[in-house]
């Protein structure tokens, strides 16, 4: 698929003290709801992990040796277009430097699908209501987990080689009733296609869930969680550690689906983001994934009008 590359990284920092300010850049495939931002900080003090705050919550950082730190920040589907600040605090407590990096989130229009389906898809029978609520609560708990250590390395890879449709973020109207937006990406794979771990992590759930069928949830650490749905077979167990490319199961059509495909959901700091934006941007090395500026290129422009 063709990626829309809109790289508007700016490196403006507004220091509140006279101490050394870090150099900050924020990159994204697009600055839109459902995208992952990569915040890279060249700190004057590499020993001290900076604190990154965006959209009202802290984003965990990891070190890119020797003197760089990075955080991944999810722009949730519900983030309204407008101006936001990424706040970075560096240095020891007694002389902390606070810098503010502005980002502008622009509107994204998600498609609306009108589908006519069996009534049970829209209104599950009352006897499964308790099960649905228990499963939703369990998933919410897993998506909200903030495991401290990063378990992913390198870059994220697609779990299957097949193309994805553009269903991420789409709104469905089932039998005339609007549903919550589609929070994952669907890959158009045949039943039986091997599904591989997109990166390292710990398997935190294996189960047969009402909506998602045979489901595997992988915690990649630092608030980054993947869910794979509708599998026909599962090859991992809860508690198991996996590395990039590990076989986790086979594509199927279990749960509430109309046909075989792989559904991959990613939550980042609980934000609903397109897994393909994670594949495009997340790197743990000196470069990032999307149309990076040459390392020796001209100095970034000041974004005075943001
Ligand atoms: Zn799906």
């Amino acid at each position: 698929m063709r990626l829309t590359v809109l790289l508007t990284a700016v490196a403006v920092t507004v220091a509140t003290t006279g101490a050394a300010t870090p150099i900050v850049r924020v990159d994204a495939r697009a600055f839109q709801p459902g995208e992952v931002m990569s915040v890279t900080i060249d700190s004057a003090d590499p020993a001290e992990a900076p604190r990154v705050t965006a959209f009202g919550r802290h984003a965990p950082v990891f070190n890119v040796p020797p003197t760089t730190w990075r955080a991944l920040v999810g722009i949730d589907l519900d983030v309204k277009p407008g101006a936001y600040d990424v706040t970075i605090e560096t240095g020891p407590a007694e002389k902390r430097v606070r810098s503010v990096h502005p980002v502008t989130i622009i509107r994204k229009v998600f498609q609306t699908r009108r589908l006519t389906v069996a009534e049970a898809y829209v209104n599950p029978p009352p006897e499964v209501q308790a099960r649905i609520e228990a499963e939703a609560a369990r998933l919410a708990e897993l998506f909200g987990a903030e495991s401290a250590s990063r378990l992913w390395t390198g870059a994220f890879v697609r779990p299957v080689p097949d193309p994805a449709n553009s269903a991420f973020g789409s709104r469905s109207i089932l039998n005339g009733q609007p549903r919550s937006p589609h929070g994952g990406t669907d890959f158009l794979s045949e039943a039986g296609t091997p599904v591989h771990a997109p990166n390292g992590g710990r398997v935190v759930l294996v189960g047969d869930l009402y909506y998602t069928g045979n489901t595997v949830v992988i915690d990649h650490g630092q608030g980054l969680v993947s869910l794979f749905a509708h599998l026909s077979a599962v090859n991992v167990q809860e508690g198991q550690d996996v590395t990039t490319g590990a076989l986790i199961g086979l594509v199927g059509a279990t749960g509430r689906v109309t046909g075989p495909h792989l559904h991959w959901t990613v939550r980042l700091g609980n934000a609903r983001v397109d897994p393909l934006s994670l594949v495009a941007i997340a790197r743990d090395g000196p470069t990032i994934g999307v149309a990076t500026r040459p390392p020796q290129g001209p100095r970034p422009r000041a974004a005075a009008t943001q």
Side-chain angles (χ1 to χ4, degrees), residues 167 182 184-186 230 261-264:
H182 187 255
T185 289
D186 291 334
H230 314 311
H261 67 277
L262 176 66
H263 171 109
W264 179 17

Side-chain angles (χ1 to χ4, degrees), residues 92-261:
E94 64 275 13
K95 49 173 186 175
R96 182 151 300 148
V97 177
R98 185 170 174 275
S99 42
V100 175
H101 188 100
V103 294
T104 300
I105 305 303
I106 61 173
R107 184 178 307 282
K108 180 164 185 179
V109 178
F110 296 101
Q111 62 173 316
T112 298
R113 304 186 290 185
R114 287 169 200 278
L115 302 170
T116 302
V117 296
E119 198 54 29
Y121 284 70
V122 188
N123 295 307
E127 62 269 23
V128 296
Q129 203 56 48
R131 175 188 173 189
I132 288 170
E133 285 169 18
E135 291 171 356
R138 178 80 182 113
L139 290 179
E141 189 184 323
L142 295 174
F143 289 150
E146 290 259 337
S147 47
S149 53
R150 178 171 62 98
L151 303 175
W152 65 272
T153 55
F156 281 76
V157 299
R158 286 171 171 245
V160 290
D162 308 290
N165 67 11
S166 56
F168 177 82
S170 64
R171 270 67 173 174
S172 289
I173 299 176
L174 300 186
N175 302 355
Q177 291 187 26
R179 313 298 293 176
S180 52
H182 187 255
T185 289
D186 291 334
F187 294 85
L188 309 175
S189 303
E190 289 179 14
T193 304
V195 178
H196 300 281
N199 211 314
R202 180 159 300 152
V203 177
V204 290
L205 182 142
V206 172
D208 178 11
L209 278 57
Y210 181 78
Y211 283 112
T212 53
N214 291 326
T215 302
V216 171
V217 178
I218 298 176
D219 184 349
H220 302 290
Q222 291 194 325
L224 186 54
V225 180
S226 282
L227 177 148
F228 300 92
H230 314 311
L231 304 173
S232 61
V234 172
N235 291 63
V236 289
Q237 298 176 332
E238 278 184 21
Q240 184 179 336
D241 289 335
V242 293
T243 54
T244 307
L247 178 66
I248 58 176
L250 303 177
V251 171
T254 56
R256 299 295 160 260
V257 287
T258 53
H261 67 277

